[in-house]
Amino acid sequence: MNVEELLDMLEETLEEGTAVPFAAAKRVVDVDRCRDIVDEVRNNLPDELRDSKKIVADREQILKNAQTDADNIIKQAEERARVLVSDKEITKRAQKMAVELVNAAQAQAKKINNASAAYCENILKNSEEVLARSVADIKNTRMNLRSLASRGPHGPQKPNL
């Protein structure tokens, strides 16, 4: 039987009941028969109706679970955002430090370059001075040799140089 037929039977049972004196709207009915019909109605209700009743009953729990899930998702998103911001901040600091290191290295290189240029200049100047003295010594020695050669062992002679 379907629910419609069972409801019709329930209505018939109510109509068949004996009227109560002085209360036309009240009747004496077979309670066991009415309970059996109600049980049959419940058993014949579609599964979806029972499921929907269960869902309605579980609605609060479903909403709480959904809210908890939403809160967790928000927390995870906030944490991820903090990590990304932190990573970005670390990257900025690393880039700034890299620029500072490059600038310091360039300054150090310039300082070393200037010091080596000054050292080379000093070495070349000393070498030039030594060579100049050597050239002067060579000239003096040559002049002394000429002078000795022109006097010769017996007197002055003409140089042949």
Side-chain angles (χ1 to χ4, degrees):
M1 288 191 171
N2 67 26
V3 176
E4 288 288 327
E5 292 171 345
L6 291 169
L7 288 174
D8 289 340
M9 281 177 57
L10 182 59
E11 189 175 26
E12 286 175 21
T13 302
L14 292 174
E15 291 297 324
E16 291 172 356
T18 310
V20 176
F22 306 109
K26 297 194 183 218
R27 300 188 180 264
V28 177
V29 293
D30 184 354
V31 173
D32 288 334
R33 181 165 163 76
C34 287
R35 282 191 181 138
D36 288 341
I37 294 172
V38 168
D39 286 341
E40 281 295 316
V41 168
R42 282 191 182 122
N43 289 334
N44 284 304
L45 288 175
D47 290 336
E48 291 82 10
L49 188 57
R50 275 190 287 262
D51 291 344
S52 68
K53 284 183 179 181
K54 184 179 178 188
I55 290 172
V56 168
D58 293 340
R59 187 180 94 209
E60 275 303 311
Q61 188 60 41
I62 291 170
L63 289 174
K64 283 181 185 177
N65 290 345
Q67 185 61 46
T68 302
D69 290 347
D71 291 343
N72 288 337
I73 290 169
I74 289 170
K75 283 181 185 176
Q76 288 174 353
E78 288 172 346
E79 181 60 30
R80 181 72 177 137
R82 274 194 285 278
V83 167
L84 290 174
V85 167
S86 177
D87 286 350
K88 187 176 180 182
E89 197 59 38
I90 289 169
T91 302
K92 280 183 182 178
R93 286 187 208 155
Q95 287 173 338
K96 182 179 178 186
M97 185 180 280
V99 167
E100 289 172 0
L101 287 173
V102 166
N103 289 340
Q106 287 174 341
Q108 185 70 17
K110 188 174 182 180
K111 185 177 176 183
I112 290 170
N113 192 22
N114 289 341
S116 64
Y119 175 76
C120 287
E121 175 67 26
N122 190 32
I123 293 293
L124 289 173
K125 179 183 169 197
N126 289 341
S127 297
E128 184 180 14
E129 289 172 358
V130 167
L131 287 174
R133 280 194 303 267
S134 294
V135 167
D137 287 345
I138 290 171
K139 280 183 182 179
N140 283 339
T141 304
R142 267 183 78 208
M143 289 191 56
N144 286 340
L145 281 174
R146 278 188 195 157
S147 169
L148 283 174
S150 66
R151 281 191 254 155
H154 306 326
Q157 292 180 4
K158 259 192 171 172
N160 216 2
L161 299 175

